[in-house]
Amino acid sequence: MSASPTNTETAPTFRGRLDRFFEISARGSNWATELRGGVLTFVTMAYIVILNPLILGGTEDVAGHSLQGTQLAAVTALSAGVMTVLFGLVARLPFAFAAGLGINSFLAVNVVKILTWQEAMGLVVINGVIIVILAATGLRRLIFNAVPPQLKTAITVGIGLFIAFIGFVDSGFVRSTNMSSPPVQLGEAGSIATVPTVVFLVALVIMAVLMARKVKGALLIGIVAATVVAIVAEAIFHVGPSLGKNPAGWNLTVPQLPTSLVALPDLSLVGQFDVVGSFGRIGALAAIMLIFTLVFTNFFDAMGSMTGLARSAGLAKEDGTFPRLQPALIVEGVGAIVGGGTSASSNTVFVESASGIGEGAKTGFASVITGALFLLAMFFTPLTQVVPLEVAAAALVIVGALMVVQIRHIDFSEFSSVLPVFLTIIVMPLTYSIANGIGVGFISWVLVRSLSGKAREISPLLWIVAAGFLVYFARGPIEAVLPH
């Protein structure tokens, strides 16, 4: 009679249960790859802890109040950490969250001219609740499924060009001419001989060579190596910050060893929002129009980002859907609620997650790592300022190149789909907006395809969404005629 197996032989180990929960082995990944991917995503996104306070802080609202920078840095890291960990555990995908750059700029430039910061953040919370309802009822997934595969692939390619363009601009490789034509130029007056831009090029070459040689951890190694180069270069040349006045300076953070490592976070902005005040201050119609703008931007920016990231990670099916789609869409809506509730602005999926995916990350474990690092960043904000934006920008260009190769999956044999696909791809980088590219693509798809005799092939939902985008693009004149 054989001995019965012991518990240690039959019971799965904790590591084994984690592996099955995140599907690490099932998706062809491993712990080291997920760890590297999570760290790299954090490194390429850490700038948001510095940039978000610069965008939101210091701008006075209609009542003359402004948000304080150190408080904003703390809640930016807190909300990003909480949402990224939550997404990793629920959706189990390698997508990281942080304050969306489109919405925070919209709030600072437009909304607080007529509302207080608390009221503006209340609108962000309402926007998040609406998105959660759309996702929970399945309507958001229906809209997602109604998008033709060609447009879904075009969204991926457009995002690739978009984040590469972000990298070029952040590095100073591409700059504004401050003229109507040409609007942009190479470097400063055609010169790329500034120290930060040279460091960007060094980082780009290091990463490209390591990628070409298939070195594991290529992007992370490149960032670390280029950061060391940047610190040495700053110590020698004393370049200093740009601050909008010194075109040869570092764009956001000056690479130098921090004088301190730990700083206690001030979380007093948590809970400082008002969901009803805006309706009394500017009227229901004007408030609804602002919410409509927030929902459209949030909804389609996130949809486009998740589509592109899932394809980049090799997790998307032929129709563009990916594992645990509905939970992912619900949690993304929660990101807006958390962002508004902490005054950090709406949190959404960041396309910079593609850097971790480019490192090989395929599961939510990478997101848990990224989120944990954001939570730690609340206490170690000086360390987030070590890596200059120019070095992180090089990783974005590399990842953008990896995403653009998806264009090979698009059928260009029929012009009724060629133009909408082209417009989707090109409008994203040229207007600095994922939502704009998706909107122009949807409208042109419906118009060109229907007028070409293919109206029956278009989902009724796509017609509705295209009509919604027409309103979205015309929101300026519409808002102008609304009573204030």
Side-chain angles (χ1 to χ4, degrees):
M1 182 175 175
S2 59
S4 60
T6 64
N7 286 338
T8 55
E9 292 173 325
T10 59
T13 64
F14 177 71
R15 183 167 177 166
R17 288 194 296 270
L18 274 182
D19 185 284
R20 282 197 294 274
F21 179 80
F22 288 111
E23 300 179 353
I24 293 175
S25 298
R27 295 183 185 177
S29 187
N30 57 65
W31 296 103
T33 298
E34 297 300 309
L35 178 62
R36 285 198 309 270
V39 172
L40 181 57
T41 295
F42 170 76
V43 170
T44 55
M45 285 178 60
Y47 72 87
I48 194 63
V49 179
I50 304 161
L51 183 58
N52 196 42
L54 292 178
I55 294 173
L56 297 179
T59 302
E60 292 189 351
D61 61 20
V62 68
H65 300 136
S66 59
L67 303 179
Q68 208 268 331
T70 56
Q71 295 175 338
L72 282 169
V75 294
T76 298
L78 173 66
S79 58
V82 169
M83 283 310 308
T84 304
V85 170
L86 180 65
F87 190 83
L89 294 174
V90 176
R92 303 172 200 171
L93 296 165
F95 307 166
F97 278 62
L101 292 177
I103 287 181
N104 61 5
S105 299
F106 176 64
L107 294 175
V109 174
N110 300 103
V111 178
V112 296
K113 289 181 179 179
I114 55 176
L115 297 176
T116 66
W117 275 111
Q118 289 85 353
E119 291 163 352
M121 293 302 171
L123 292 184
V124 174
V125 171
I126 295 172
N127 147 64
V129 171
I130 293 172
I131 291 176
V132 168
I133 293 172
L134 291 174
T137 57
L139 183 58
R140 194 175 187 187
R141 180 167 185 159
L142 288 175
I143 295 173
F144 186 94
N145 293 337
V147 180
Q150 297 99 311
L151 283 184
K152 286 178 179 173
T153 305
I155 289 169
T156 305
V157 176
I159 291 173
L161 288 179
F162 177 43
I163 64 175
F165 189 51
I166 290 173
F168 285 127
V169 171
D170 287 349
S171 67
F173 189 82
V174 172
R175 297 175 187 252
S176 170
T177 61
N178 297 315
M179 297 187 297
S180 58
S181 180
V184 293
Q185 62 184 349
L186 180 69
E188 182 65 21
S191 171
I192 55 172
T194 64
V195 171
T197 305
V198 170
V199 169
F200 158 76
L201 293 174
V202 169
L204 190 63
V205 170
I206 292 173
M207 294 176 195
V209 171
L210 292 175
M211 289 286 291
R213 289 181 170 272
K214 295 181 170 52
V215 175
K216 289 184 178 181
L219 296 182
L220 188 55
I221 294 170
I223 284 179
V224 172
T227 298
V228 172
V229 172
I231 292 173
V232 172
E234 173 61 23
I236 295 173
F237 297 105
H238 304 289
V239 177
S242 171
L243 300 177
K245 299 176 182 178
N246 174 20
W250 300 97
N251 196 357
L252 187 59
T253 58
V254 177
Q256 53 192 3
L257 296 177
T259 55
S260 62
L261 298 179
V262 180
L264 291 176
D266 181 351
L267 301 177
S268 55
L269 286 177
V270 175
Q272 298 297 313
F273 64 96
D274 179 358
V275 296
V276 297
S278 58
F279 292 87
R281 187 180 296 274
I282 62 175
L285 284 177
I288 289 171
M289 196 64 210
L290 289 175
I291 294 169
F292 177 83
T293 302
L294 291 171
V295 169
F296 253 70
T297 304
N298 234 144
F299 189 110
F300 289 101
D301 262 9
M303 191 190 81
S305 297
M306 287 194 282
T307 300
L309 293 171
R311 284 192 178 275
S312 182
L315 299 174
K317 302 175 184 176
E318 285 295 321
D319 60 359
T321 59
F322 49 84
R324 303 184 66 79
L325 173 58
Q326 187 159 356
L329 296 175
I330 292 173
V331 175
E332 196 280 328
V334 173
I337 299 173
V338 171
T342 58
S343 293
S345 181
S346 178
N347 272 232
T348 188
V349 175
F350 254 53
V351 291
E352 282 86 347
S353 305
S355 59
I357 291 171
E359 193 64 37
K362 294 179 180 294
T363 78
F365 185 73
S367 294
V368 172
I369 297 299
T370 303
L373 290 173
F374 266 117
L375 293 176
L376 283 174
M378 287 193 301
F379 302 91
F380 296 93
T381 49
L383 284 178
T384 63
Q385 302 179 38
V386 174
V387 179
L389 191 58
E390 287 79 1
V391 171
L396 297 184
V397 174
I398 293 289
V399 171
L402 294 174
M403 295 181 74
V404 166
V405 299
Q406 295 288 334
I407 199 170
R408 69 183 186 275
H409 297 302
I410 300 176
D411 182 5
F412 288 105
S413 62
E414 191 175 2
F415 193 77
S416 63
S417 61
V418 168
L419 183 63
V421 162
F422 171 73
L423 291 175
T424 301
I425 293 171
I426 203 65
V427 167
M428 284 188 196
L430 292 186
T431 65
Y432 236 59
S433 169
I434 295 172
N436 286 348
I438 293 174
V440 171
F442 282 10
I443 293 170
S444 59
W445 181 276
V446 167
L447 287 176
V448 176
R449 297 282 287 186
S450 61
L451 294 176
S452 301
K454 296 178 172 61
R456 293 183 179 180
E457 300 176 7
I458 303 172
S459 166
L461 274 176
L462 206 61
W463 283 90
I464 295 171
V465 173
F469 266 114
L470 283 174
V471 176
Y472 173 74
F473 289 137
R475 67 189 184 277
I478 294 173
E479 289 172 354
V481 299
L482 291 175
H484 292 285

